Amino acid sequence: MTPPARRPHRKSRTGCKTCKRRRVKCDENGLPCGPCALRGIDCGYADTSRLQQPTPERSPSSKGATPCSVPDAIEWTGQRRLLELELLHQWTTVTYKSYCGTMASEYHNWQVVVPRVALQHDYLLHGMLAMSALEIAAFTKDDESRVDDYVNTALEYHNLASSGLRRELSNITPANRQALFALSSILLILGLALPRFVLQRGEQGNMLDYMMTYLALLKGLRTIADTEADYRKKEPLVANFKVWNALPAQVLEPELLELFQRLSILNEEMHGASQVDLDTPELQAMSYHAACRRAMFYLEEDFAKCRDVSTRSYSLGWPLRAGHEYAVALNDKEPVALLTMMVWGVLLEQTSHGVWWAEGIGSRVVEDLSKLVDTQGNAKLMACVQWARVEVGLPFRRHAWLDHSMH
């Protein structure tokens, strides 16, 4: 079924200037608004005093309330009702398996339990509908108009879900914790999946900004889990997941061991105690050095633990394990930090086969970040960049060190 044609709507006079210029619907929940936050672009309002304040959700026990309140952004029409039934059917028959992957033990939770919880928390329902719509778009062939319709539908529900998450994160309670945890994990997947569709349409954005948004989602997920002691043991949605230290590790191939040794050498050469210069203050260099060292340590563990089909999903948490200081270095476009994330992109590319929402994301990370790395004539840094590009099938210029050490 094709989503309904564009519907007439009330003209927004308080949306952000960026959305108005791009002629997309603004959720007015800035700064930044949902669409701008998703794309990692600047968001601004002509009159910040007129920003729409989020309205509190009605409790199901309130007079006249329904378990799932209808947001103003969506018209409750017959066509919309059929579309949501289609997307919910997609979730309960197909999409929940895409979320669970090979963990069949989780099927019941995400096919039955999560939809039931979503009936009481509309933001969770919006997240499910967004992922279902994007999955339909991913498997639609030879019909660009239909793909575009479903991508727009996914973006619409994604913005509603993100707005609900931001609103609720300031008041996490036992009544909404499970819904927020489920939604956060769905938004993580959408955070990886949506850039491919958005960028294919020629819209503005780059993978570094998307990855910083993805990291913020990871932090939000941890915030929810940290609100209760022993949450992993008490929450059925995560009870079947193993703790990181319990995952079996494989012995890395000599090529990968050589790569991580080279990364460590680069970190020492660029940020070690003997390499402080006027352009990089001593404390900043020490921070970059420690941050990249930690990120490399956990990334090497990810290669050892997360390349099996049953454990590959654990690698999605690496940016969080890398730590806050690494996120700062990454945001500063520090070359070794960028290169380390490129190596993570290689891991994503190697383990995403058959996973529609992750396919291609690793190569896109490598491609975009390789353009940001300032090699400064450093042959070793340049060779590591080229190694990452080779591994994901991107064009490259071969270097002598690459020939000697990496292949």
Side-chain angles (χ1 to χ4, degrees):
M1 172 183 172
T2 302
R6 186 181 297 272
R7 302 171 307 282
H9 61 278
R10 293 172 298 175
K11 184 175 181 180
S12 170
R13 300 188 182 278
T14 58
C16 81
K17 294 183 292 185
T18 305
C19 287
K20 289 181 179 179
R21 184 172 62 252
R22 295 177 60 249
R23 296 184 178 180
V24 300
K25 186 173 182 61
C26 181
D27 64 10
E28 304 177 23
N29 283 320
L31 283 165
C33 69
C36 290
L38 170 67
R39 293 169 176 83
I41 58 180
D42 291 336
C43 177
Y45 288 81
D47 181 3
T48 56
S49 66
R50 298 182 63 188
L51 286 179
Q52 176 179 333
Q53 299 298 318
T55 56
E57 281 191 77
R58 294 181 297 174
S59 168
S61 61
S62 301
K63 182 177 181 180
T66 59
C68 212
S69 58
V70 181
D72 292 338
I74 292 180
E75 294 182 27
W76 192 249
T77 65
Q79 284 186 316
R80 174 63 65 170
R81 192 175 278 130
L82 288 175
L83 172 62
E84 295 196 336
L85 285 173
E86 178 196 12
L87 297 179
L88 191 56
H89 177 265
Q90 174 77 13
W91 177 274
T92 58
T93 57
V94 181
T95 307
Y96 79 93
K97 291 183 180 179
S98 299
Y99 175 91
C100 297
T102 59
M103 295 188 65
S105 60
E106 289 297 303
Y107 282 180
H108 176 77
N109 281 335
W110 290 90
Q111 183 185 26
V112 179
V113 176
V114 170
R116 185 182 299 131
V117 173
L119 295 178
Q120 300 296 325
H121 303 277
D122 57 358
Y123 46 83
L124 174 55
L125 180 61
H126 296 151
M128 293 164 53
L129 299 181
M131 186 171 173
S132 294
L134 204 62
E135 183 172 39
I136 294 175
F139 288 96
T140 297
K141 307 298 181 183
D142 303 322
D143 191 340
E144 292 184 9
S145 176
R146 178 178 168 87
V147 170
D148 200 49
D149 283 339
Y150 278 106
V151 171
N152 286 336
T153 298
L155 287 170
E156 181 179 6
Y157 282 115
H158 175 274
N159 291 340
L160 289 168
S162 299
S163 175
L165 179 66
R166 290 194 297 269
R167 183 176 65 246
E168 294 292 316
L169 277 179
S170 61
N171 184 34
I172 302 173
T173 68
N176 66 10
R177 185 180 292 114
Q178 186 177 54
L180 291 174
F181 185 90
L183 174 59
S184 293
S185 61
I186 291 172
L187 290 179
L188 279 177
I189 290 178
L190 290 173
L192 292 176
L194 275 170
R196 169 164 60 109
F197 294 92
V198 172
L199 295 173
Q200 281 176 350
R201 302 201 301 188
E203 297 191 26
Q204 180 183 354
N206 66 78
M207 289 310 302
L208 178 58
D209 290 335
Y210 284 122
M211 289 303 99
M212 297 305 295
T213 300
Y214 176 77
L215 178 56
L217 290 170
L218 278 171
K219 291 179 179 178
L221 189 64
R222 184 172 66 179
T223 297
I224 296 167
D226 287 348
T227 57
E228 183 178 356
D230 297 325
Y231 182 73
R232 194 188 68 82
K233 297 179 180 179
K234 299 177 181 178
E235 173 51 61
L237 297 184
V238 295
N240 292 324
F241 284 83
K242 297 179 180 179
V243 296
W244 177 254
N245 291 335
L247 294 178
Q250 301 175 1
V251 177
L252 295 184
E253 300 91 321
E255 178 182 355
L256 285 172
L257 292 173
E258 175 74 6
L259 169 69
F260 282 103
Q261 182 181 4
R262 291 288 177 173
L263 289 175
S264 179
I265 291 173
L266 276 171
N267 194 32
E268 291 294 332
E269 290 181 347
M270 298 186 70
H271 303 306
S274 62
Q275 301 300 321
V276 178
D277 57 34
L278 295 178
D279 295 327
T280 306
E282 183 176 359
L283 289 179
Q284 185 182 56
M286 292 173 61
S287 177
Y288 285 161
H289 178 268
C292 292
R293 184 177 180 181
R294 174 189 171 101
M296 292 173 193
F297 171 80
Y298 281 109
L299 185 55
E300 186 171 355
E301 280 202 336
D302 274 59
F303 271 89
K305 294 183 175 185
C306 303
R307 287 187 290 168
D308 183 82
V309 68
S310 63
T311 58
R312 59 187 178 182
S313 62
Y314 289 84
S315 66
L316 300 178
W318 170 79
L320 187 61
R321 289 190 291 275
H324 172 72
E325 290 77 12
Y326 172 74
V328 173
L330 192 62
N331 193 55
D332 290 344
K333 299 183 177 63
E334 194 286 313
V336 179
L338 291 170
L339 179 57
T340 306
M341 176 155 276
M342 287 171 59
V343 177
W344 179 62
V346 171
L347 177 59
L348 289 182
E349 190 70 14
Q350 291 177 349
T351 58
S352 64
H353 179 70
V355 183
W356 69 265
W357 47 265
E359 286 184 344
I361 191 68
S363 62
R364 178 70 80 163
V365 168
V366 172
E367 181 176 18
D368 281 13
L369 269 60
S370 66
K371 299 174 183 177
L372 298 176
V373 176
D374 183 4
T375 58
Q376 302 173 356
N378 187 319
K380 293 178 182 178
L381 183 60
M382 191 178 300
C384 286
V385 170
Q386 301 295 13
W387 175 88
R389 292 181 64 89
V390 169
E391 290 298 304
V392 299
L394 294 171
F396 67 100
R397 297 186 303 275
R398 189 172 291 279
H399 294 269
W401 177 82
L402 183 71
D403 288 328
H404 176 73
S405 299
M406 303 304 293
H407 292 282

